[in-house]
Amino acid sequence: ALISLRQLLDHAAENGYGVPAFNVNNLEQMRAIMEAADATDSPVIVQASAGARSYAGAPFLRHLILAAIEEWPHIPVVMHQDHGTSPAVCQRSIQLGFSSVMMDGSLKEDGKTPADYDYNVQVTQTAVAMAHACGVSVEGELGVLGSLETGEAGEEDGVGAEGKLSHDQLLTDPEEAAQFVKATNVDALAIACGTSHGAYKFSRPPTGDILAIDRIKEIHKRIPTTHLVMHGSSSVPQEWLKVINEFGGEIPETYGVPVEQIAEGIKHGVRKVNIDTDLRLASTGAVRRHLAQNTSNFDPRKFLKASTDAMFDICKARYEAFGCAGQA
Ligand code: G3H
Ligand code: 13P
Ligand code: NA
Ligand code: ZN
């Protein structure tokens, strides 16, 4: 069944768990996410980016999610729009039937230039007024995402600030978060706490304080009923990097956010955990390996099945690690 983000995350808060929000672009990702949710009895958040809409086309994307709800009617599903760059983008998603939208007013409409606080409040208020009138939830974002190690915003095209960021920009201010929530009435708030988008988050194996856990605690204390969202939460599985590179890929050494650190964040108010890169890496590794080992195969269903299976394993592991299993 389709439910709103507010409904799901209120339940997650009451029961102390977090929910992975997986990006979806194609059939294989959708099936992996749902089959893993079914296997673990987990509720689901699927999110579509602007890039996903231009890849699959809005009608296909919409029906892909609706088809999942039809095939697995017993699983609660939030249909979320990731990184909306304007109220107009959010409006279009509401028309399409999404039950949740992200108004990312931390960046200007180009999705690159950091925006000031007043701009952010203004566009987010507009999106909330529209969405709440339709029973749709809203995620806002305050602060600019970037690695505390490198000061880089990350690699995703179209999402993320450009250039080096100062330490101050890299952490959401708790006082400002309280003001922002009061002014906008968002249901969920994406915060900057040391994560960044894409595969290149950390250049060395993460030990200890990759995330600003104290900052997460402080923010949660100020806005206890607003659900915290952590973007850039891929763990960059080293085993998949190895497979990719073993079968012809060339991906340099890189590290993501350890699952245990995400679980620590969940203890302190993080409820929605955005993951895209991990499924991309698993899918790429599985396809490279399958084609290298089955050189006479030309049935795409065979390598796409390998992709689905690899993504299934990641999804299942995240549902379990975030305490989401058994909560559907
Ligand atoms: O936040 C970014 C997500 O990973 C989506 O990436 O815009 O390439 O679809 P995309
Ligand atoms: P990753 O690149 O770490 O998977 O983050 C995805 C994300 O935050 C989508 O909004
Ligand atoms: Na989002
Ligand atoms: Zn994001």
Side-chain angles (χ1 to χ4, degrees), residues 86-153:
S86 68
V89 169
C90 297
Q91 184 176 26
R92 178 74 184 121
S93 294
I94 295 166
Q95 282 179 327
L96 282 169
F98 282 63
S99 61
S100 177
V101 293
M102 177 186 193
M103 176 63 243
D104 183 358
S106 72
L107 302 171
K108 304 289 274 196
E109 248 186 282
D110 66 3
K112 286 189 177 91
T113 317
D116 63 38
Y117 177 82
D118 291 339
Y119 170 89
N120 195 352
V121 167
Q122 192 226 311
V123 290
T124 307
Q125 279 174 340
T126 305
V128 169
M130 259 181 335
H132 283 183
C134 307
V136 168
S137 306
V138 178
E139 172 185 337
E141 176 165 326
L142 188 64
V144 180
L145 252 61
S147 162
L148 290 173
E149 181 207 24
T150 62
E152 300 286 348

Side-chain angles (χ1 to χ4, degrees), residues 83 141 145 153-156 159-160 195-201 231-232 277:
H83 290 286
E141 176 165 326
L145 252 61
E155 300 274 312
E156 293 309 285
V159 182
T195 65
S196 55
H197 288 110
Y200 303 101
K201 302 183 198 302
H231 284 244
T277 298

